[in-house]
Amino acid sequence: MTLIADTEPTVFETVESEVRSYCRAWPTVFARATGSRLFDEHGRPFLDFFAGAGSLNYGHNNPALKRPLLDYLGSDGITHGLDMSTTAKRRFLETFRSAVLEPRGLPYKVMFPGPTGTNAVEAALKLARKVTGRKTVVSFTNAFHGMSLGSLALTGNAGKRAGAGVPLTHTTQMPFDHYLGGVTPDFLWFERLLEDSGSGLDHPAAVIVETVQGEGGVNVARAEWLRGLADLCRRRDMLLIVDDIQMGCGRTGDFFSFEEAGITPDIVTLSKSISGYGLPMSLCLFRDELDMWRPGEHNGTFRGNNPAFVTATAALETYWRDGTLRDRTLRRAATVEAALAELGTEAAPRGRGLVWGLEFEDGERAAAVCRRAFELGLLVETSGPRDEVVKLLPPLTVTDDELDEGLGILARAVRHTA
């Protein structure tokens, strides 16, 4: 008797759009998750070095965050509040001020622009243009800032830009750190365009930068390069925006990824792990003197996600009242770097904190490594302009044993595809 495999299409294939992507790389149906692991509907565990694309810095269903959330929902706390004042928002703002802003001497107002990272970027762009009265915003090669039109105009990836279907205007791209291989002094081209009235570059309102380009291939900007950029913005009367959506909330060690460079951006965007639990939430932070908004001038129906305020507050109270998580992340960075260096790939591993990239000669090899890792029980994704980089984003709460296990699986996947 011959058994015929069930080839009936799933509801995901018959109902969901072809735009879906992660489910193609990880062909299983996930059912539950805890800590650093997901489990599919058959109970098979997968170690998660993807962490919701950086939205789960504290792992899945972290008890320190889940208990306050359940208590809040159980007490009939406000769920949807737009920008109304609520007890949950008040506690978040008080905690964010005392645990994050005041210890760092950061002079920021807090804006809730909408639930996603691209909402925060769009708000930052709108505010920069409103404050300066100028239109042009400078971004960098291989940048990624979001999929709405304003954010997409700042993004370097040709495939993502092509999806816009309309011209992407009022932006100019400049070389990111190391883009020219170190043979050209930093900002030589940028500064020359600014000082030449014949360059065709309108005086920019702002410059937006990621300190580590995650989607762009885990490209790490040097601290001195970031300081040089901040100085250039100050001298040339341009606002500096740091997009910390994926690299903030401790991903590089410090709460903000720009702290290592000792700079204070004019505007900062946060999302992904700011809620701590994977709940949609984003912030746009800016200097007090830039707060020129009129009431309701920029808004969004879901900017008041109160359950996210609850888990965000719990995350700050649990992990950011001292330097324990920061120090642990930086120690584990050394472990990851050493393990990846032993793999002997074409390019040296690069990263900071607990975001690392392993570059291969092409996207096919990187994809093969990710496929084999999945077969062995590890979730990792590719990034870079040709998807040639395997990116590691384990939860910051990953245990030492889990970190070693994941790095061991990755090593097996690399060897298997050599």
Side-chain angles (χ1 to χ4, degrees):
M1 178 179 177
T2 302
L3 295 178
I4 300 175
D6 181 9
T7 58
E8 285 293 316
T10 69
V11 69
F12 306 109
E13 295 166 311
T14 58
V15 178
E16 190 178 1
S17 166
E18 292 298 316
V19 77
R20 63 193 189 279
S21 61
Y22 288 114
C23 58
R24 300 179 191 275
W26 303 323
T28 192
V29 179
F30 295 101
R32 61 187 182 89
T34 181
S36 300
R37 296 187 191 274
L38 291 95
F39 300 82
D40 71 12
E41 60 184 345
H42 303 295
R44 184 187 176 195
F46 293 85
L47 192 56
D48 186 6
F49 276 25
F50 171 66
S55 296
L56 295 163
N57 282 3
Y58 313 109
H60 296 269
N61 289 304
N62 188 315
L65 283 59
K66 181 165 66 173
R67 185 70 263 168
L69 175 61
L70 293 176
D71 290 345
Y72 182 77
L73 295 175
S75 66
D76 292 332
I78 300 294
T79 298
H80 179 273
L82 292 103
D83 67 358
M84 294 184 290
S85 298
T86 67
T87 56
K89 184 199 284 190
R90 179 173 61 199
R91 188 168 177 222
F92 168 74
L93 286 170
E94 291 171 345
T95 306
F96 190 74
R97 179 178 60 191
S98 63
V100 176
L101 297 181
E102 290 180 342
R104 294 163 179 79
L106 294 173
Y108 294 144
K109 298 289 286 293
V110 178
M111 175 184 180
F112 301 99
T116 71
T118 199
N119 292 137
V121 172
E122 296 285 356
L125 298 179
K126 187 187 290 187
L127 181 61
R129 287 164 172 152
K130 177 181 176 65
V131 168
T132 64
R134 307 180 212 130
K135 296 182 176 65
T136 300
V137 175
V138 170
S139 60
F140 291 92
T141 50
N142 289 314
F144 178 79
H145 295 287
M147 298 297 277
S148 53
L149 290 181
S151 302
L152 198 56
L154 304 166
T155 291
N157 186 283
K160 291 181 172 62
R161 290 176 63 87
V166 297
L168 299 171
T169 60
H170 303 306
T171 63
T172 298
Q173 276 70 36
M174 291 292 165
F176 191 71
D177 193 15
H178 300 302
Y179 186 76
L180 298 175
V183 298
T184 303
D186 295 336
F187 311 115
L188 176 66
W189 174 241
F190 194 177
E191 189 118 37
R192 180 63 178 141
L193 292 179
L194 289 170
E195 67 188 17
D196 183 2
S197 60
S199 70
L201 175 64
D202 294 329
H203 191 174
V207 176
I208 186 168
V209 67
E210 304 157 275
T211 66
V212 181
Q213 295 181 327
E215 298 303 310
V218 193
N219 305 313
V220 181
R222 294 166 296 147
E224 56 266 35
W225 187 86
L226 292 169
R227 286 192 289 270
L229 178 61
D231 178 67
L232 176 62
C233 288
R234 184 171 55 252
R235 287 187 291 105
R236 295 292 185 175
D237 185 29
M238 302 178 294
L239 297 176
L240 176 60
I241 305 169
V242 168
D243 181 340
D244 234 2
I245 287 166
Q246 188 169 81
M247 297 304 153
C249 303
R251 177 52 59 180
T252 63
D254 294 308
F255 185 85
F256 294 107
S257 69
F258 55 80
E259 292 182 56
E260 180 190 60
I263 63 175
T264 302
D266 299 294
I267 304 174
V268 180
T269 59
L270 284 176
S271 188
K272 290 192 181 284
S273 277
I274 186 59
S275 82
Y277 204 76
L279 298 175
M281 178 178 173
S282 73
L283 306 178
C284 185
L285 314 176
F286 39 82
R287 293 181 182 275
D288 183 63
E289 63 269 23
L290 301 180
D291 194 7
M292 297 175 61
W293 294 112
R294 295 189 303 273
E297 190 174 9
H298 185 92
N299 54 38
T301 302
F302 294 101
R303 64 194 182 276
N305 186 351
N306 282 257
F309 296 155
V310 172
T311 54
T313 300
L316 296 177
E317 293 284 7
T318 303
Y319 295 106
W320 294 104
R321 286 297 186 184
D322 59 31
T324 301
L325 182 64
R326 173 190 182 274
D327 295 343
R328 187 168 61 188
T329 298
L330 294 178
R331 286 196 304 271
R332 287 170 173 171
T335 300
V336 176
E337 183 174 19
L340 296 183
E342 291 179 359
L343 297 182
T345 51
E346 293 79 6
R350 52 184 184 259
R352 281 178 59 198
L354 281 177
V355 52
W356 285 85
L358 198 59
E359 184 178 349
F360 293 90
E361 68 273 14
D362 56 47
E364 291 184 6
R365 173 78 190 284
V369 169
C370 290
R371 282 195 301 272
R372 183 57 179 154
F374 172 77
E375 293 168 358
L376 297 171
L378 175 69
L379 303 184
V380 286
E381 70 163 338
T382 61
S383 68
R386 296 177 290 111
D387 289 320
E388 76 280 15
V389 176
V390 173
K391 182 170 70 171
L392 281 68
L393 284 172
L396 306 183
T397 52
V398 66
T399 67
D400 290 338
D401 287 345
E402 289 169 338
L403 188 61
D404 290 342
E405 178 187 350
L407 292 171
I409 292 174
L410 180 64
R412 289 168 59 192
V414 170
R415 290 194 296 268
H416 183 268
T417 59

